[in-house]
Amino acid sequence: MSRISKKAAFFATTAAAALTVTMTATPALAWPAGDFTATLAGDMVIDAGIAATCTDSTLSGTVATDGTLTVTSASVSGCGVTVTPVGLPWSGSLSGGVASFDGFQMSAIGCTFGGDITGSYSGGETFPVTAAFTEQTVDRTSGWLCPSSATVTASYTFTQP
């Protein structure tokens, strides 16, 4: 092998080794799998023509390493009327700065509203993170003389026990 070929082979091998070390040394971002609790940060406003402002809400469930959520328990209080989360479990995700709940449903005064809601979160892919849902429209799923839709605005801080 000529001296130029040996140098080229040496540099190519060194570059490949450096790339391999760099690629294997950078860990993939992943959520810490396990249980989570999400606590209302501020107020939740559910507006179906008349706004109900709720002062307390907690969600709990599990998160997978890819950010997939399963909400198995939800509570809401301090609304001035009884608001009941229904249709659990809800699914959802925290991925790439986007927070979502699929199958979200709340019932109040004989009306149930539900649907998929999407917001954003800040804080990276580790807890705690705060997810904000602003004026998300959910459709009436049951009830007589109820508006056809409502909007939901809420922020939740997600933590792990």
Side-chain angles (χ1 to χ4, degrees):
M1 204 184 259
S2 74
R3 195 174 79 189
I4 293 174
S5 296
K6 286 181 184 179
K7 279 185 178 182
F10 171 77
F11 287 119
T13 304
T14 303
L19 181 60
T20 301
V21 168
T22 301
M23 291 176 68
T24 57
T26 305
L29 294 176
W31 289 96
D35 295 336
F36 76 84
T37 299
T39 306
L40 188 64
D43 292 335
M44 173 191 296
V45 178
I46 303 170
D47 191 343
I50 298 174
T53 300
C54 307
T55 58
D56 191 37
S57 178
T58 302
L59 311 174
S60 61
T62 58
V63 61
T65 57
D66 66 355
T68 300
L69 301 170
T70 302
V71 179
T72 55
S73 174
S75 66
V76 179
S77 62
C79 305
V81 297
T82 301
V83 175
T84 306
V86 295
L88 294 166
W90 303 332
S91 59
S93 71
L94 296 170
S95 179
V98 176
S100 67
F101 289 125
D102 303 328
F104 172 89
Q105 288 187 74
M106 296 277 182
S107 181
I109 315 172
C111 301
T112 301
F113 297 93
D116 301 340
I117 62 173
T118 302
S120 62
Y121 70 87
S122 58
E125 292 189 359
T126 184
F127 292 108
V129 297
T130 299
F133 302 90
T134 304
E135 294 187 9
Q136 294 295 293
T137 300
V138 289
D139 294 325
R140 178 187 65 227
T141 59
S142 69
W144 192 67
L145 296 177
C146 302
S148 61
S149 65
T151 60
V152 177
T153 298
S155 292
Y156 284 91
T157 300
F158 287 76
T159 59
Q160 281 190 306

